[in-house]
């Protein structure tokens, strides 16, 4: 059970990840962790909590990664063992290479063995296991001449960007497709999200294979007929071709929005420069518009043929021209607002927009083409990490009927769509907002 047809359909279930220990580690060196600026962790946590509370007020079920990892582990041995298994894959024991032979000769192999690791993990609390999953520690053992006979040093590959739950996957009409991030700092995030989806009863339908790269911030659903996928700094054409070939987008047309020239971290994903506010109104970064613009985006449109295969139908269409051709009105976002995540709004459905830039919020609210509601939320400590409301949320289920009903997850009588079934595990989930 997962899927979304249009960015403006009513969001029902959103995966989030509250900033925590990995963020603390990332804040030690912001640039190395793919952050824009130094990060105040307390502010990031408070702002993220406010974001979650806003979603809850709108009747949306939010599933938080750490809570999901720990969910049921006190009452279900199966859940506990699954988490231990994931932690075992995230914790690496190794011997200092130059000591290896001597280490073995002295019988030290046990201390880097799977057996010892399992013993260690079995005794840990769920919170400890969750921290292991999120920080990916490597423990390097050397031989010591005293006490226990071994000495440890530590290094980590913390999941410093897991807060941006948008990016590890895309949720299309067909369901969740696991991605493959471009940045080495983000490569372990996908397995953690996969674990969470499976645990909460949201099956994934495929996974982008190497060497292709796909990040969720590049994807927008725009109805049964059309979706958008950005190709540039993060997502590549290999991934798009894979998705087209396996019909993972599920729409008749796929608009590939090419960023051939810009490829800038400030505009790393499509959701940094574009967004969908309603069936007929979009946001677009103003300074990339125009055929002669040095950072223009161009659209190649693929159309599904009678044989079920996609074929390239039109190419090199300037992005704003393409949008207008689709009958969409455009609200242009100036550079200053784009840099502060003006475009990175979250559409909760039925034209309910969460905006993180106050001027952009007002710009949308007064635009003649927009007749929905805008709520402003301060996410400055999250934008310091190069993302905002859209990046920090993965909508895994949107209701096509447009219902604004609060959904409890146990049943949804309005949903008659054959491609969606009532979820299993997450209906019982006791999160902060249950
Ligand atoms: N969809 C998005 O634009 N996500 C933001 C990701 C920010 C993160 N620091 C990154 O560079 O990957």
């Amino acid at each position: 059970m997962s899927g979304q047809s249009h960015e403006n359909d009513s969001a029902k279930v959103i995966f989030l990840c509250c900033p925590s220990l990995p963020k603390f580690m990332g804040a030690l060196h912001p640039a190395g962790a793919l952050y824009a600026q130094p990060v105040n962790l307390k502010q990031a946590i408070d702002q993220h909590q406010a974001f979650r509370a806003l979603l809850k007020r709108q009747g949306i079920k939010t599933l938080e990664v750490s809570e999901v990892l720990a969910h049921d582990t006190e009452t279900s041995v199966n859940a506990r063992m699954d988490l231990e298994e994931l932690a075992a894959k995230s914790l690496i024991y190794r011997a200092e290479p130059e000591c290896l032979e001597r280490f073995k000769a002295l019988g030290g192999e046990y201390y880097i063995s799977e057996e010892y690791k399992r013993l260690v993990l079995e005794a840990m609390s769920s919170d400890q296991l969750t921290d292991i999953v999120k920080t990916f520690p490597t423990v390097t053992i050397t031989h010591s001449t005293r006490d226990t006979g071994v000495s440890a040093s530590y290094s980590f590959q913390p999941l410093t960007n897991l807060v941006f739950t948008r990016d590890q996957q895309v949720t299309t009409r067909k369901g969740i497709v696991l991605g493959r991030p471009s940045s080495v700092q983000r490569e372990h995030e996908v397995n953690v999200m996969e674990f969470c989806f499976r645990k909460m009863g949201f099956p994934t339908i495929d996974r982008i294979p190497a060497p292709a790269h796909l990040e969720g911030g590049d994807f927008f659903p725009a109805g049964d007929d059309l979706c958008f996928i950005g190709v540039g700094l993060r997502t590549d054409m290999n991934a798009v071709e894979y998705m087209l070939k396996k019909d993972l987008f599920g729409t008749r047309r796929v608009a590939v929005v090419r960023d051939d020239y810009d490829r800038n971290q400030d505009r790393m994903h499509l959701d940094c420069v574009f967004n969908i506010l309603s069936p007929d109104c979009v946001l677009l970064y103003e300074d990339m518009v125009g055929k002669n613009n040095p950072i223009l985006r161009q659209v190649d449109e693929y159309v599904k043929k009678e044989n079920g295969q996609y074929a390239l139908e039109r190419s090199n269409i300037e992005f704003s021209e393409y949008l207008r051709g689709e009958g969409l009105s455009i609200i242009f976002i100036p550079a200053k607002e784009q840099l502060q995540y003006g475009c990175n709004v979250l559409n909760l459905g039925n034209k309910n927009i969460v905006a993180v830039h106050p001027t952009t919020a007002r710009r949308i609210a007064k635009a003649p083409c927009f007749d929905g509601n805008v709520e402003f939320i301060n996410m400055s400590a999250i934008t310091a990490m190069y993302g905002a409301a859209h990046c920090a949320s993965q909508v895994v289920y949107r209701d096509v009927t447009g219902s604004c009903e609060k959904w409890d997850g146990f049943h949804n009588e309005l949903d008659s769509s054959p491609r969606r079934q009532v979820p299993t595990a997450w209906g019982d989930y006791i999160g902060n907002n249950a």
Side-chain angles (χ1 to χ4, degrees):
M1 196 291 314
S2 61
Q4 52 173 353
S5 280
H6 197 291
E7 192 76 5
N8 190 53
D9 289 338
S10 191
K12 294 296 175 191
V13 186
I14 296 184
F15 274 80
L16 302 171
C17 179
C18 183
S20 60
L21 183 57
K23 220 68 26 200
F24 163 82
M25 293 175 154
L28 299 174
H29 192 291
L34 301 177
Y35 297 168
Q37 293 156 21
V39 174
N40 180 317
L41 182 59
K42 165 94 172 61
Q43 265 176 20
I45 292 170
D46 290 349
Q47 290 175 3
H48 196 275
Q49 267 171 7
F51 178 48
R52 189 176 185 185
L54 183 160
L55 300 178
K56 181 193 170 193
R57 277 201 311 279
Q58 297 270 356
I60 295 166
K61 192 83 178 175
T62 59
L63 301 174
E64 199 281 326
V65 167
S66 300
E67 291 176 6
V68 169
L69 290 172
H71 174 58
D72 256 358
T73 51
E74 302 302 325
T75 51
S76 159
V77 175
N78 310 55
R80 167 73 203 195
M81 288 174 70
D82 286 346
L83 181 58
E84 282 176 23
E85 191 60 38
L86 184 66
K89 290 187 186 127
S90 310
L91 173 62
I92 296 162
Y93 283 173
R94 65 190 277 275
E96 195 66 70
E98 56 266 34
C99 310
L100 193 57
E101 287 318 309
R102 180 164 157 73
F103 199 70
K104 282 185 184 166
L106 292 168
E109 250 177 318
Y110 172 65
Y111 286 112
I112 53 167
S113 69
E114 201 57 28
E115 189 186 347
Y116 186 62
K117 194 204 285 189
R118 299 283 167 166
L119 189 79
V120 167
L121 294 175
E122 212 178 305
M124 285 184 176
S125 71
S126 304
D127 287 348
Q128 278 175 287
L129 297 174
T130 301
D131 280 343
I132 287 177
V133 168
K134 292 191 299 179
T135 58
F136 225 91
T138 297
V139 184
T140 304
I141 300 298
T142 52
H143 176 253
S144 152
T145 51
R146 49 169 299 157
D147 304 326
T148 60
V150 285
S151 174
S153 63
Y154 309 86
S155 64
F156 298 85
Q157 289 173 273
L159 310 188
T160 52
N161 288 284
L162 197 56
V163 68
F164 297 118
T165 50
R166 176 66 52 178
D167 296 328
Q168 304 82 12
Q169 59 286 306
V170 294
T171 304
T172 72
R173 282 185 80 229
K174 291 287 188 82
I176 300 169
V177 180
L178 296 167
R180 197 167 169 272
S182 291
S183 323
V184 64
Q185 291 97 323
R186 303 200 64 177
E187 70 184 16
H188 296 307
E189 294 176 19
V190 181
N191 288 342
V192 178
M193 293 305 290
E194 181 186 27
F195 180 93
C196 290
F197 294 139
R198 189 180 315 128
K199 180 164 180 179
M200 303 318 281
F202 294 91
T204 56
I205 56 169
D206 212 319
R207 187 179 185 128
I208 299 298
H213 295 107
L214 176 86
E215 297 192 8
D218 278 314
F219 175 73
F220 280 94
D224 291 355
D225 188 57
L226 179 68
C227 69
F228 295 88
I229 180 82
V231 164
L233 184 66
R234 298 297 181 94
T235 298
D236 62 30
M237 209 46 215
N238 292 329
V240 174
E241 276 161 10
Y242 182 82
M243 295 219 13
L244 288 173
K245 195 163 170 215
K246 299 196 81 182
D247 195 11
L248 299 173
F249 291 110
T251 49
R252 187 180 69 86
R253 293 182 297 149
V254 176
V256 177
V257 185
R258 282 174 20 234
D259 166 13
D260 292 340
Y261 312 108
D262 190 17
R263 305 203 167 197
N264 187 302
Q265 170 75 6
D266 287 328
R267 296 172 289 280
M268 75 191 91
H269 293 125
L270 189 57
D271 69 357
C272 301
V273 293
F274 168 72
N275 215 308
I276 299 179
L277 302 178
S278 74
D280 46 28
C281 180
V282 298
L283 289 183
L284 192 65
Y285 171 44
E286 168 173 83
D287 285 6
M288 64 181 203
V289 170
K291 282 188 180 137
N292 298 319
N293 192 310
I295 62 162
L296 89 165
R297 300 324 193 237
Q298 291 173 295
V299 176
D300 294 343
E301 189 183 77
Y302 291 81
V303 180
K304 198 191 276 180
K305 298 294 169 192
E306 269 169 18
N307 64 4
Q309 304 285 306
Y310 284 90
L312 179 61
E313 193 99 315
R314 298 189 285 158
S315 57
N316 300 328
I317 309 162
E318 194 272 324
F319 193 20
S320 68
E321 189 183 317
Y322 182 85
L323 295 169
R324 285 201 184 91
E326 288 299 308
L328 295 162
S329 300
I330 302 174
I331 301 174
F332 289 104
I333 300 301
K336 191 166 168 234
E337 291 168 41
Q338 185 280 328
L339 272 177
Q340 291 163 22
Y341 294 86
C343 295
N344 205 253
V345 301
L346 178 61
N347 187 342
L348 303 181
N350 306 306
K351 309 176 199 177
N352 261 310
I353 306 300
V354 181
V356 304
H357 193 286
T359 315
T360 305
R362 286 168 171 270
R363 189 183 293 284
I364 297 169
K366 73 172 189 223
C369 65
F370 182 75
D371 61 354
N373 188 64
V374 187
E375 186 163 351
F376 167 74
I377 186 167
N378 177 12
M379 293 184 85
S380 56
I382 309 288
T383 59
M385 298 182 282
Y386 273 121
H390 195 264
C391 308
S393 54
Q394 180 62 221
V395 184
V396 290
Y397 181 66
R398 286 185 190 263
D399 183 357
V400 283
T401 63
S403 154
C404 298
E405 299 279 302
K406 182 167 178 161
W407 211 41
D408 62 12
F410 293 100
H411 63 277
N412 176 12
E413 284 159 6
L414 295 172
D415 187 3
S416 56
S417 162
R419 66 181 179 274
R420 295 171 182 153
Q421 295 142 25
V422 175
T424 50
W426 68 271
D428 303 328
Y429 167 82
I430 311 293
N432 283 350
N433 68 334

